Amino acid sequence: MKLIKKITVAVLIIATVALNLVSCGLFSKQKFTKHSFECFDTLSTVIGYEYFKGGFDTIAERIVDRLLEYHRLYDIYNEYDGITNLATLNKAAGRGVALKVDKKIVDLLLFAKEAHTLTGGEVNVAFGSVLSLWHDCRVAAKADPDEATLPSPSALLSASMNTDISKIVIDEKSSTVEITDPGVKIDVGAVAKGYATEMVARELENEGISGYILNIGGNVRVVGSNPDGEPFGVGIEDPRKGNTDYLAIVGLRGASVVTSGSYQRFFTVGGKNYHHIIDKDTLYPAEGYVSVSVICPDSGLADVLSTALFLMSLDAGEDLINSIDGAEALWLLPDGIVKTTKGFNAFEVDK
């Protein structure tokens, strides 16, 4: 009994000394980093500032676990035991059955329907029948580049007949979803990463956690500010120069920057690159920009807007972004010209 008391007292003394050292400023927060390839089939990086690595590890592991939960729910290619996810919903399309799903799926799809209205249909999660044809060609090209082919025009035209978002029927009260058209496929590539990142960031903020950067495959969300209270500097990559230079460095505090680009996912046929952002009117990759970056407090909305602006004319994109409080954008055109919204430079910091 005395031994236990001595050990307890010793632990309390050590903890008190550590806290005193922190409060006296003898310890300062350090930068820690965690990488993961589990979430959304991309590299996820968590950067955080804590006094001790153990504290960072606990928070970073929770972030990755939460993102992995969203990944499994929003996966359109794979099913998981005990989970009704988007892949399950796509399989059940046209069968006349509404499936009970996790509220996180209902919330995402409701958000996606709002995004569809906001962007005039440019971002459409019911566009999966078309996107799947391009996805299959991209996968096949990766496996055998010499045999790479494009989707046939007739297949694309046929698939485009099954992209009506109203065929995704959501009952929020019962938490069910039914796809009433057997040809409709859900694809959340333009919304899921940003939305999930935002949900996780809000959880951290609600707990008073600050000093973290979540970079989920290029979708960057800053939680709070850096240890000295200043915004974090986040670089917007110049795709012409890789990681050696930036189009801009923006200072963010509790906000997000998301980039959509023609250089991120593509395959080559006949010497021409075909990327993954598909125009609903031509059914082929959009050709107006090299990249579009959006700053916005909400990472989910930034994800939506970066895709929508990539698919819109510059004038239409400027009108859209200017209608949204707190949102700014940067466009990189094929000729190398960089365009920005009027308020974008307020976020820029020295390179």
mmCIF file with all atom_site columns, all heavy atoms in Angstrom, residues 180-199:
data_model
loop_
_atom_site.group_PDB
_atom_site.id
_atom_site.type_symbol
_atom_site.label_atom_id
_atom_site.label_alt_id
_atom_site.label_comp_id
_atom_site.label_asym_id
_atom_site.label_entity_id
_atom_site.label_seq_id
_atom_site.pdbx_PDB_ins_code
_atom_site.Cartn_x
_atom_site.Cartn_y
_atom_site.Cartn_z
_atom_site.occupancy
_atom_site.B_iso_or_equiv
_atom_site.pdbx_formal_charge
_atom_site.auth_seq_id
_atom_site.auth_comp_id
_atom_site.auth_asym_id
_atom_site.auth_atom_id
_atom_site.pdbx_PDB_model_num
ATOM 1   N N   . THR A 1 180 ? -33.653 5.278  -57.908 1.00 0.00 ? 180 THR A N   1
ATOM 2   C CA  . THR A 1 180 ? -34.816 4.722  -58.604 1.00 0.00 ? 180 THR A CA  1
ATOM 3   C C   . THR A 1 180 ? -34.552 4.368  -60.062 1.00 0.00 ? 180 THR A C   1
ATOM 4   O O   . THR A 1 180 ? -35.344 3.657  -60.682 1.00 0.00 ? 180 THR A O   1
ATOM 5   C CB  . THR A 1 180 ? -35.991 5.712  -58.529 1.00 0.00 ? 180 THR A CB  1
ATOM 6   O OG1 . THR A 1 180 ? -35.603 6.959  -59.112 1.00 0.00 ? 180 THR A OG1 1
ATOM 7   C CG2 . THR A 1 180 ? -36.401 5.943  -57.075 1.00 0.00 ? 180 THR A CG2 1
ATOM 8   N N   . ASP A 1 181 ? -33.466 4.853  -60.634 1.00 0.00 ? 181 ASP A N   1
ATOM 9   C CA  . ASP A 1 181 ? -33.099 4.559  -62.021 1.00 0.00 ? 181 ASP A CA  1
ATOM 10  C C   . ASP A 1 181 ? -31.946 3.556  -62.011 1.00 0.00 ? 181 ASP A C   1
ATOM 11  O O   . ASP A 1 181 ? -30.878 3.839  -61.467 1.00 0.00 ? 181 ASP A O   1
ATOM 12  C CB  . ASP A 1 181 ? -32.671 5.842  -62.721 1.00 0.00 ? 181 ASP A CB  1
ATOM 13  C CG  . ASP A 1 181 ? -32.297 5.637  -64.189 1.00 0.00 ? 181 ASP A CG  1
ATOM 14  O OD1 . ASP A 1 181 ? -32.058 4.489  -64.605 1.00 0.00 ? 181 ASP A OD1 1
ATOM 15  O OD2 . ASP A 1 181 ? -32.223 6.648  -64.923 1.00 0.00 ? 181 ASP A OD2 1
ATOM 16  N N   . PRO A 1 182 ? -32.118 2.382  -62.623 1.00 0.00 ? 182 PRO A N   1
ATOM 17  C CA  . PRO A 1 182 ? -31.046 1.374  -62.599 1.00 0.00 ? 182 PRO A CA  1
ATOM 18  C C   . PRO A 1 182 ? -29.772 1.818  -63.299 1.00 0.00 ? 182 PRO A C   1
ATOM 19  O O   . PRO A 1 182 ? -28.699 1.259  -63.065 1.00 0.00 ? 182 PRO A O   1
ATOM 20  C CB  . PRO A 1 182 ? -31.670 0.172  -63.316 1.00 0.00 ? 182 PRO A CB  1
ATOM 21  C CG  . PRO A 1 182 ? -32.771 0.741  -64.148 1.00 0.00 ? 182 PRO A CG  1
ATOM 22  C CD  . PRO A 1 182 ? -33.302 1.905  -63.365 1.00 0.00 ? 182 PRO A CD  1
ATOM 23  N N   . GLY A 1 183 ? -29.858 2.840  -64.149 1.00 0.00 ? 183 GLY A N   1
ATOM 24  C CA  . GLY A 1 183 ? -28.677 3.310  -64.867 1.00 0.00 ? 183 GLY A CA  1
ATOM 25  C C   . GLY A 1 183 ? -27.899 4.388  -64.139 1.00 0.00 ? 183 GLY A C   1
ATOM 26  O O   . GLY A 1 183 ? -26.794 4.740  -64.551 1.00 0.00 ? 183 GLY A O   1
ATOM 27  N N   . VAL A 1 184 ? -28.445 4.918  -63.053 1.00 0.00 ? 184 VAL A N   1
ATOM 28  C CA  . VAL A 1 184 ? -27.776 5.991  -62.314 1.00 0.00 ? 184 VAL A CA  1
ATOM 29  C C   . VAL A 1 184 ? -26.749 5.408  -61.347 1.00 0.00 ? 184 VAL A C   1
ATOM 30  O O   . VAL A 1 184 ? -27.023 4.442  -60.638 1.00 0.00 ? 184 VAL A O   1
ATOM 31  C CB  . VAL A 1 184 ? -28.803 6.848  -61.533 1.00 0.00 ? 184 VAL A CB  1
ATOM 32  C CG1 . VAL A 1 184 ? -28.102 7.759  -60.523 1.00 0.00 ? 184 VAL A CG1 1
ATOM 33  C CG2 . VAL A 1 184 ? -29.640 7.674  -62.499 1.00 0.00 ? 184 VAL A CG2 1
ATOM 34  N N   . LYS A 1 185 ? -25.567 6.001  -61.345 1.00 0.00 ? 185 LYS A N   1
ATOM 35  C CA  . LYS A 1 185 ? -24.515 5.633  -60.402 1.00 0.00 ? 185 LYS A CA  1
ATOM 36  C C   . LYS A 1 185 ? -24.056 6.872  -59.652 1.00 0.00 ? 185 LYS A C   1
ATOM 37  O O   . LYS A 1 185 ? -23.831 7.921  -60.263 1.00 0.00 ? 185 LYS A O   1
ATOM 38  C CB  . LYS A 1 185 ? -23.309 5.013  -61.130 1.00 0.00 ? 185 LYS A CB  1
ATOM 39  C CG  . LYS A 1 185 ? -23.559 3.649  -61.727 1.00 0.00 ? 185 LYS A CG  1
ATOM 40  C CD  . LYS A 1 185 ? -22.267 3.116  -62.362 1.00 0.00 ? 185 LYS A CD  1
ATOM 41  C CE  . LYS A 1 185 ? -22.485 1.736  -62.977 1.00 0.00 ? 185 LYS A CE  1
ATOM 42  N NZ  . LYS A 1 185 ? -21.224 1.218  -63.586 1.00 0.00 ? 185 LYS A NZ  1
ATOM 43  N N   . ILE A 1 186 ? -23.911 6.716  -58.350 1.00 0.00 ? 186 ILE A N   1
ATOM 44  C CA  . ILE A 1 186 ? -23.402 7.816  -57.537 1.00 0.00 ? 186 ILE A CA  1
ATOM 45  C C   . ILE A 1 186 ? -21.885 7.865  -57.629 1.00 0.00 ? 186 ILE A C   1
ATOM 46  O O   . ILE A 1 186 ? -21.210 6.847  -57.533 1.00 0.00 ? 186 ILE A O   1
ATOM 47  C CB  . ILE A 1 186 ? -23.827 7.650  -56.062 1.00 0.00 ? 186 ILE A CB  1
ATOM 48  C CG1 . ILE A 1 186 ? -25.352 7.773  -55.921 1.00 0.00 ? 186 ILE A CG1 1
ATOM 49  C CG2 . ILE A 1 186 ? -23.130 8.664  -55.173 1.00 0.00 ? 186 ILE A CG2 1
ATOM 50  C CD1 . ILE A 1 186 ? -25.860 7.473  -54.525 1.00 0.00 ? 186 ILE A CD1 1
ATOM 51  N N   . ASP A 1 187 ? -21.341 9.069  -57.823 1.00 0.00 ? 187 ASP A N   1
ATOM 52  C CA  . ASP A 1 187 ? -19.896 9.311  -57.759 1.00 0.00 ? 187 ASP A CA  1
ATOM 53  C C   . ASP A 1 187 ? -19.697 10.603 -56.983 1.00 0.00 ? 187 ASP A C   1
ATOM 54  O O   . ASP A 1 187 ? -20.147 11.664 -57.403 1.00 0.00 ? 187 ASP A O   1
ATOM 55  C CB  . ASP A 1 187 ? -19.298 9.421  -59.160 1.00 0.00 ? 187 ASP A CB  1
ATOM 56  C CG  . ASP A 1 187 ? -17.773 9.509  -59.138 1.00 0.00 ? 187 ASP A CG  1
ATOM 57  O OD1 . ASP A 1 187 ? -17.242 10.403 -58.455 1.00 0.00 ? 187 ASP A OD1 1
ATOM 58  O OD2 . ASP A 1 187 ? -17.117 8.692  -59.824 1.00 0.00 ? 187 ASP A OD2 1
ATOM 59  N N   . VAL A 1 188 ? -19.009 10.511 -55.848 1.00 0.00 ? 188 VAL A N   1
ATOM 60  C CA  . VAL A 1 188 ? -18.863 11.675 -54.964 1.00 0.00 ? 188 VAL A CA  1
ATOM 61  C C   . VAL A 1 188 ? -17.441 12.234 -54.997 1.00 0.00 ? 188 VAL A C   1
ATOM 62  O O   . VAL A 1 188 ? -16.994 12.877 -54.052 1.00 0.00 ? 188 VAL A O   1
ATOM 63  C CB  . VAL A 1 188 ? -19.277 11.326 -53.516 1.00 0.00 ? 188 VAL A CB  1
ATOM 64  C CG1 . VAL A 1 188 ? -20.770 11.076 -53.424 1.00 0.00 ? 188 VAL A CG1 1
ATOM 65  C CG2 . VAL A 1 188 ? -18.487 10.120 -52.992 1.00 0.00 ? 188 VAL A CG2 1
ATOM 66  N N   . GLY A 1 189 ? -16.732 12.011 -56.095 1.00 0.00 ? 189 GLY A N   1
ATOM 67  C CA  . GLY A 1 189 ? -15.349 12.451 -56.194 1.00 0.00 ? 189 GLY A CA  1
ATOM 68  C C   . GLY A 1 189 ? -15.155 13.948 -56.044 1.00 0.00 ? 189 GLY A C   1
ATOM 69  O O   . GLY A 1 189 ? -14.091 14.398 -55.625 1.00 0.00 ? 189 GLY A O   1
ATOM 70  N N   . ALA A 1 190 ? -16.183 14.729 -56.365 1.00 0.00 ? 190 ALA A N   1
ATOM 71  C CA  . ALA A 1 190 ? -16.057 16.184 -56.284 1.00 0.00 ? 190 ALA A CA  1
ATOM 72  C C   . ALA A 1 190 ? -16.474 16.749 -54.932 1.00 0.00 ? 190 ALA A C   1
ATOM 73  O O   . ALA A 1 190 ? -16.368 17.965 -54.723 1.00 0.00 ? 190 ALA A O   1
ATOM 74  C CB  . ALA A 1 190 ? -16.899 16.846 -57.379 1.00 0.00 ? 190 ALA A CB  1
ATOM 75  N N   . VAL A 1 191 ? -16.937 15.886 -54.037 1.00 0.00 ? 191 VAL A N   1
ATOM 76  C CA  . VAL A 1 191 ? -17.440 16.407 -52.756 1.00 0.00 ? 191 VAL A CA  1
ATOM 77  C C   . VAL A 1 191 ? -16.923 15.658 -51.531 1.00 0.00 ? 191 VAL A C   1
ATOM 78  O O   . VAL A 1 191 ? -16.803 16.249 -50.453 1.00 0.00 ? 191 VAL A O   1
ATOM 79  C CB  . VAL A 1 191 ? -18.991 16.416 -52.728 1.00 0.00 ? 191 VAL A CB  1
ATOM 80  C CG1 . VAL A 1 191 ? -19.560 17.290 -53.821 1.00 0.00 ? 191 VAL A CG1 1
ATOM 81  C CG2 . VAL A 1 191 ? -19.559 14.996 -52.844 1.00 0.00 ? 191 VAL A CG2 1
ATOM 82  N N   . ALA A 1 192 ? -16.642 14.366 -51.646 1.00 0.00 ? 192 ALA A N   1
ATOM 83  C CA  . ALA A 1 192 ? -16.452 13.521 -50.463 1.00 0.00 ? 192 ALA A CA  1
ATOM 84  C C   . ALA A 1 192 ? -15.228 13.881 -49.631 1.00 0.00 ? 192 ALA A C   1
ATOM 85  O O   . ALA A 1 192 ? -15.303 13.988 -48.405 1.00 0.00 ? 192 ALA A O   1
ATOM 86  C CB  . ALA A 1 192 ? -16.385 12.048 -50.869 1.00 0.00 ? 192 ALA A CB  1
ATOM 87  N N   . LYS A 1 193 ? -14.073 14.065 -50.281 1.00 0.00 ? 193 LYS A N   1
ATOM 88  C CA  . LYS A 1 193 ? -12.848 14.359 -49.521 1.00 0.00 ? 193 LYS A CA  1
ATOM 89  C C   . LYS A 1 193 ? -12.977 15.663 -48.746 1.00 0.00 ? 193 LYS A C   1
ATOM 90  O O   . LYS A 1 193 ? -12.641 15.737 -47.560 1.00 0.00 ? 193 LYS A O   1
ATOM 91  C CB  . LYS A 1 193 ? -11.636 14.437 -50.450 1.00 0.00 ? 193 LYS A CB  1
ATOM 92  C CG  . LYS A 1 193 ? -10.974 13.126 -50.746 1.00 0.00 ? 193 LYS A CG  1
ATOM 93  C CD  . LYS A 1 193 ? -9.602  13.327 -51.365 1.00 0.00 ? 193 LYS A CD  1
ATOM 94  C CE  . LYS A 1 193 ? -9.616  14.171 -52.607 1.00 0.00 ? 193 LYS A CE  1
ATOM 95  N NZ  . LYS A 1 193 ? -8.282  14.392 -53.195 1.00 0.00 ? 193 LYS A NZ  1
ATOM 96  N N   . GLY A 1 194 ? -13.437 16.677 -49.440 1.00 0.00 ? 194 GLY A N   1
ATOM 97  C CA  . GLY A 1 194 ? -13.571 17.970 -48.795 1.00 0.00 ? 194 GLY A CA  1
ATOM 98  C C   . GLY A 1 194 ? -14.596 17.954 -47.681 1.00 0.00 ? 194 GLY A C   1
ATOM 99  O O   . GLY A 1 194 ? -14.377 18.537 -46.610 1.00 0.00 ? 194 GLY A O   1
ATOM 100 N N   . TYR A 1 195 ? -15.711 17.280 -47.933 1.00 0.00 ? 195 TYR A N   1
ATOM 101 C CA  . TYR A 1 195 ? -16.774 17.213 -46.923 1.00 0.00 ? 195 TYR A CA  1
ATOM 102 C C   . TYR A 1 195 ? -16.296 16.453 -45.684 1.00 0.00 ? 195 TYR A C   1
ATOM 103 O O   . TYR A 1 195 ? -16.480 16.918 -44.553 1.00 0.00 ? 195 TYR A O   1
ATOM 104 C CB  . TYR A 1 195 ? -18.004 16.526 -47.515 1.00 0.00 ? 195 TYR A CB  1
ATOM 105 C CG  . TYR A 1 195 ? -19.158 16.403 -46.548 1.00 0.00 ? 195 TYR A CG  1
ATOM 106 C CD1 . TYR A 1 195 ? -20.060 17.449 -46.392 1.00 0.00 ? 195 TYR A CD1 1
ATOM 107 C CD2 . TYR A 1 195 ? -19.339 15.245 -45.798 1.00 0.00 ? 195 TYR A CD2 1
ATOM 108 C CE1 . TYR A 1 195 ? -21.120 17.336 -45.494 1.00 0.00 ? 195 TYR A CE1 1
ATOM 109 C CE2 . TYR A 1 195 ? -20.380 15.132 -44.903 1.00 0.00 ? 195 TYR A CE2 1
ATOM 110 C CZ  . TYR A 1 195 ? -21.276 16.177 -44.752 1.00 0.00 ? 195 TYR A CZ  1
ATOM 111 O OH  . TYR A 1 195 ? -22.313 16.069 -43.857 1.00 0.00 ? 195 TYR A OH  1
ATOM 112 N N   . ALA A 1 196 ? -15.679 15.299 -45.877 1.00 0.00 ? 196 ALA A N   1
ATOM 113 C CA  . ALA A 1 196 ? -15.188 14.516 -44.747 1.00 0.00 ? 196 ALA A CA  1
ATOM 114 C C   . ALA A 1 196 ? -14.122 15.274 -43.969 1.00 0.00 ? 196 ALA A C   1
ATOM 115 O O   . ALA A 1 196 ? -14.107 15.268 -42.732 1.00 0.00 ? 196 ALA A O   1
ATOM 116 C CB  . ALA A 1 196 ? -14.633 13.177 -45.241 1.00 0.00 ? 196 ALA A CB  1
ATOM 117 N N   . THR A 1 197 ? -13.224 15.936 -44.699 1.00 0.00 ? 197 THR A N   1
ATOM 118 C CA  . THR A 1 197 ? -12.180 16.729 -44.042 1.00 0.00 ? 197 THR A CA  1
ATOM 119 C C   . THR A 1 197 ? -12.791 17.823 -43.184 1.00 0.00 ? 197 THR A C   1
ATOM 120 O O   . THR A 1 197 ? -12.358 18.071 -42.050 1.00 0.00 ? 197 THR A O   1
ATOM 121 C CB  . THR A 1 197 ? -11.244 17.341 -45.093 1.00 0.00 ? 197 THR A CB  1
ATOM 122 O OG1 . THR A 1 197 ? -10.673 16.298 -45.895 1.00 0.00 ? 197 THR A OG1 1
ATOM 123 C CG2 . THR A 1 197 ? -10.130 18.137 -44.445 1.00 0.00 ? 197 THR A CG2 1
ATOM 124 N N   . GLU A 1 198 ? -13.815 18.474 -43.713 1.00 0.00 ? 198 GLU A N   1
ATOM 125 C CA  . GLU A 1 198 ? -14.484 19.544 -42.958 1.00 0.00 ? 198 GLU A CA  1
ATOM 126 C C   . GLU A 1 198 ? -15.151 19.000 -41.691 1.00 0.00 ? 198 GLU A C   1
ATOM 127 O O   . GLU A 1 198 ? -15.068 19.624 -40.620 1.00 0.00 ? 198 GLU A O   1
ATOM 128 C CB  . GLU A 1 198 ? -15.530 20.232 -43.845 1.00 0.00 ? 198 GLU A CB  1
ATOM 129 C CG  . GLU A 1 198 ? -16.267 21.362 -43.175 1.00 0.00 ? 198 GLU A CG  1
ATOM 130 C CD  . GLU A 1 198 ? -15.371 22.528 -42.793 1.00 0.00 ? 198 GLU A CD  1
ATOM 131 O OE1 . GLU A 1 198 ? -14.303 22.708 -43.425 1.00 0.00 ? 198 GLU A OE1 1
ATOM 132 O OE2 . GLU A 1 198 ? -15.748 23.281 -41.873 1.00 0.00 ? 198 GLU A OE2 1
ATOM 133 N N   . MET A 1 199 ? -15.802 17.858 -41.799 1.00 0.00 ? 199 MET A N   1
ATOM 134 C CA  . MET A 1 199 ? -16.475 17.285 -40.632 1.00 0.00 ? 199 MET A CA  1
ATOM 135 C C   . MET A 1 199 ? -15.480 16.942 -39.517 1.00 0.00 ? 199 MET A C   1
ATOM 136 O O   . MET A 1 199 ? -15.730 17.189 -38.336 1.00 0.00 ? 199 MET A O   1
ATOM 137 C CB  . MET A 1 199 ? -17.256 16.028 -41.039 1.00 0.00 ? 199 MET A CB  1
ATOM 138 C CG  . MET A 1 199 ? -18.437 16.288 -41.978 1.00 0.00 ? 199 MET A CG  1
ATOM 139 S SD  . MET A 1 199 ? -19.673 17.437 -41.302 1.00 0.00 ? 199 MET A SD  1
ATOM 140 C CE  . MET A 1 199 ? -19.259 18.953 -42.187 1.00 0.00 ? 199 MET A CE  1
#
